[in-house]
Amino acid sequence: MKTRTKLLLGNWKMNKTLREAKAFARESVELSALAMANNVELGVAPTFLCLEAVRKTNPDIIVAAQNLHYEPKGAYTGEISIPMLKEIGISWSIIGHSERRQYNGESSLSCNRKVLAMIENDMTPVYCCGETLEEYESGITKAIVRNQIRTGLSGVAKDKASRIVVAYEPIWSIGTGVNASKEIAEEVCGFIREVLGEMFGTTVASEIRILYGGSVKPDNIKSYLSAKDIDGALVGGASLDIQSFKALLENIL
């Protein structure tokens, strides 16, 4: 079985001007070197406007889009296509973040079209799943997550599935300061790997990286990543400040 490389990915959401993004990227160069020396992958997901600048300023950091469209071109006002991203050297994108689902009406079915388009174009999707507080309190977390995984990753060829990264983010924990315990996170991430095993076989499932996200901070990231089925973190607010981002990385090592 391959050893899964740890991954720390910062989701900047609608934050940072171009000037601020460039400044962060310059300061992150030494962090990338530290990460590579310790076999950790380090990345950020800026806004579309900042993608190319961050990639050029620090070529050693993974730079991911926060979303994309599944069609290569067309009459889709406000959208960004895969060819546009690839032209500026971007090969990663977050897909199906809960905020996209909540505010933009995205479904696991629409996410599936994006995932399949990315796989076809040799890109890496970071596919997000997670339940609401109401769903968690109703005890249907696993049913919700299973449906999101099976629908969102439907049709992915087994020999391409290991390219996917899955991010489990309980919606009730995102930006609220309320953390899912390590035990809850590990149980759900372990369950996700079981579902992936049903879809792609246990060998492939053992190679897919699963991230945890939801109020991850420097003081709790080490605990989450000590769980056997959690391979990294998708971090929001704590990834915006370079010192906080450095502390996140140092606490993984």
Side-chain angles (χ1 to χ4, degrees):
M1 185 183 79
K2 292 181 183 177
T3 301
R4 297 187 298 270
T5 303
K6 298 292 186 187
L7 171 61
L8 172 60
L9 183 62
N11 178 15
W12 289 357
K13 307 186 180 184
M14 197 175 70
N15 291 291
K16 293 196 184 299
T17 62
L18 185 57
R19 179 181 58 80
E20 292 167 341
K22 286 179 179 177
F24 184 102
R26 283 193 296 272
E27 293 180 298
S28 72
V29 171
E30 64 180 52
L31 295 189
S32 298
L34 177 63
M36 286 189 290
N38 289 275
N39 196 33
V40 174
E41 288 192 332
L42 191 66
V44 291
T47 64
F48 286 128
L49 287 174
C50 300
L51 290 171
E52 187 173 21
V54 173
R55 189 192 64 77
K56 287 183 174 179
T57 305
N58 183 359
D60 293 325
I61 199 168
I62 292 169
V63 182
Q66 296 177 17
N67 182 45
L68 50 73
H69 200 277
Y70 51 81
E71 291 288 357
K73 62 181 179 179
Y76 301 101
T77 300
E79 297 288 345
I80 300 290
S81 72
I82 287 174
M84 294 172 187
L85 292 171
K86 293 189 77 172
E87 187 176 43
I88 60 170
I90 304 301
S91 60
W92 287 58
S93 181
I94 297 171
I95 299 294
H97 190 279
S98 63
E99 289 159 2
R100 297 288 312 172
R101 293 175 186 257
Q102 179 180 355
Y103 303 133
N104 300 87
E106 292 191 8
S107 66
S108 297
L109 201 56
S110 64
C111 289
N112 179 242
R113 300 181 74 171
K114 298 178 183 184
V115 168
L116 293 177
M118 289 186 71
I119 294 296
E120 185 179 335
N121 284 275
D122 296 320
M123 296 180 74
T124 299
V126 180
Y127 178 64
C128 299
C129 61
E131 80 283 16
T132 64
L133 179 61
E134 183 180 4
E135 289 163 345
Y136 171 72
E137 291 179 338
S138 298
I140 58 173
T141 292
K142 288 183 178 179
I144 295 297
V145 169
R146 174 191 287 277
N147 180 263
Q148 289 172 335
I149 295 293
R150 294 196 70 91
T151 302
L153 303 184
S154 176
V156 174
K158 288 184 180 181
D159 63 344
K160 300 286 182 68
S162 60
R163 175 181 284 274
I164 295 165
V165 176
V166 175
Y168 168 59
E169 293 195 305
I171 297 169
W172 48 273
S173 186
I174 298 174
T176 62
V178 179
N179 300 86
S181 66
K182 173 196 166 183
E183 290 73 24
I184 292 172
E186 166 61 7
E187 181 181 359
V188 179
C189 289
F191 174 73
I192 289 170
R193 202 172 302 284
E194 289 176 14
V195 176
L196 294 170
E198 295 168 2
M199 296 178 70
F200 306 116
T202 54
T203 299
V204 174
S206 72
E207 297 172 356
I208 296 174
R209 288 183 288 182
I210 301 174
L211 311 182
Y212 171 73
S215 298
V216 176
K217 297 179 177 60
D219 62 1
N220 63 26
I221 191 169
K222 188 170 186 176
S223 174
Y224 285 120
L225 267 65
S226 67
K228 70 181 180 67
D229 282 306
I230 299 178
D231 306 307
L234 180 59
V235 184
S239 73
L240 294 173
D241 175 77
I242 192 67
Q243 293 305 319
S244 175
F245 199 51
K246 181 180 180 182
L248 286 164
L249 175 60
E250 289 175 341
N251 288 343
I252 292 175
L253 306 181

